[in-house]
Amino acid sequence: MKKKLFLLVCLLVVSLMAAGCSSSESKAGGREVDSSVAKEAIDQGKLALADADLEKAKSNFKLALLEDAKNAEAKQCMGLIEKYEKFVAAVDEKDTDTAANTLEQLKADDKFALIEGMAKEPEEKLNGLVAELKELDAKIAALGELYNPEDENSMPDELYLVKSEELLANPLLTPKQKKTVENFKNAATDRANKLLAIEEEKMRAAEEEQAEAAASEATAGVDMPFPIGTSLKELIGSYGDPTYDDYFMGARLVVFNNEDGYYFGDATETVTGFMIANPNIGVFGTHVGMTPAEISGILGEPSGSYLDESETQSFVVDYYMENYKIFFFSDEEGGPTTSVNVISN
């Protein structure tokens, strides 16, 4: 009898120990798990997603995990929301690659149906963004047709700056696209400036050549050492210091070696005419020392002849030719000339 009673007691103890183990397995973090609360929270989270109330859904799924930290469905729903938020952020940041990859992950989730309605609008935005970015890529590629960077003599089309600015003003331009356009714009601008500088230098050289030719033509009949248009600095560099520098007959006259005289305009230090006293310098087939009659035999009848009583007290005969005025001076009327002024018109 005692033996049977002992066996009954043992069986009771084992039963109580099993019940205790079962109870401990239903505890989490030192407290009992209320599976009904976790399930209700998950159901409410799903309803919130159906209503597109993301914050309420997150709160409910967090509550479910608080009740049951190992709840696989609550964890999956929270992961779904995290991927959705990453997707939306990538779309807003125009990161189409990240957005497309994240959307693909969302759709692969077997819980995607819970958030599918909310994903439609950002997905449409992504599709529109992808289409617009492709259009921008085409416009950027078209910039390269405005000039050939491989050809050093290729001048960028005048539209390149306008097109570049239009693209850079587009708010949809991605950082990568923006950098591409800016690099194109800078390279094309540098190319244009370089070619323009070359053309300007060519024009400047041509203008100087034309000016020299014009000056040479203007004084082709005057055998002075330097032509009209020569700078005073150049004359001083060749002759040395002048022997006379003052105003004479209404203009600045600078004389070198007491015989080679050059007139200068008021606003410039370049030669505009000559005062010649050297009989060895020819003036259109004439020279100082010839009489007015001899000169007229070469140049024809003068435009006028008179006595200059105001300044030189000399007898003057003058000629007006294509680009200059010529004045011959004599001490006596009809006598040999003592000097000649040649002034550019």
Side-chain angles (χ1 to χ4, degrees), residues 117-136:
M118 294 177 61
K120 284 184 179 179
E121 183 176 343
E123 183 176 6
E124 290 175 357
K125 185 176 179 181
L126 172 62
N127 292 336
L129 183 61
V130 169
E132 290 177 334
L133 291 179
K134 284 183 178 179
E135 184 178 347
L136 285 174

Side-chain angles (χ1 to χ4, degrees), residues 55-71:
E55 292 304 316
K56 184 177 179 180
K58 288 166 66 175
S59 297
N60 279 284
F61 294 133
K62 286 178 180 179
L63 175 60
L65 289 171
L66 185 63
E67 289 297 324
D68 183 1
K70 295 181 179 181
N71 191 293

Side-chain angles (χ1 to χ4, degrees), residues 301-320:
E301 291 298 316
S303 299
S305 60
Y306 53 92
L307 173 63
D308 177 20
E309 297 180 305
S310 63
E311 193 159 8
T312 66
Q313 289 78 48
S314 299
F315 290 93
V316 183
V317 291
D318 56 39
Y319 291 85
Y320 291 83

Side-chain angles (χ1 to χ4, degrees), residues 214-227:
S216 177
E217 181 181 353
T219 55
V222 181
D223 299 333
M224 282 290 279
F226 294 91

Side-chain angles (χ1 to χ4, degrees), residues 199-237:
E199 289 302 313
E200 288 174 358
E201 177 60 25
K202 288 180 179 178
M203 291 177 63
R204 186 192 64 78
E207 288 173 356
E208 288 183 355
E209 185 177 344
Q210 290 175 357
E212 290 175 1
S216 177
E217 181 181 353
T219 55
V222 181
D223 299 333
M224 282 290 279
F226 294 91
I228 286 175
T230 303
S231 68
L232 178 59
K233 182 178 180 180
E234 185 177 351
L235 293 177
I236 293 174

Side-chain angles (χ1 to χ4, degrees), residues 126-181:
L126 172 62
N127 292 336
L129 183 61
V130 169
E132 290 177 334
L133 291 179
K134 284 183 178 179
E135 184 178 347
L136 285 174
D137 282 336
K139 290 181 178 179
I140 292 171
L143 288 178
E145 298 176 3
L146 298 179
Y147 89 109
N148 179 9
E150 302 300 326
D151 182 359
E152 293 185 356
N153 296 315
S154 175
M155 171 67 81
D157 188 282
E158 62 182 6
L159 289 175
Y160 84 90
L161 185 58
V162 175
K163 297 294 184 183
S164 299
E165 293 295 346
E166 286 177 355
L167 284 169
L168 290 173
N170 192 314
L172 292 177
L173 206 66
T174 65
K176 181 179 179 181
Q177 289 174 324
K178 183 178 180 181
K179 184 176 181 180
T180 299
V181 175

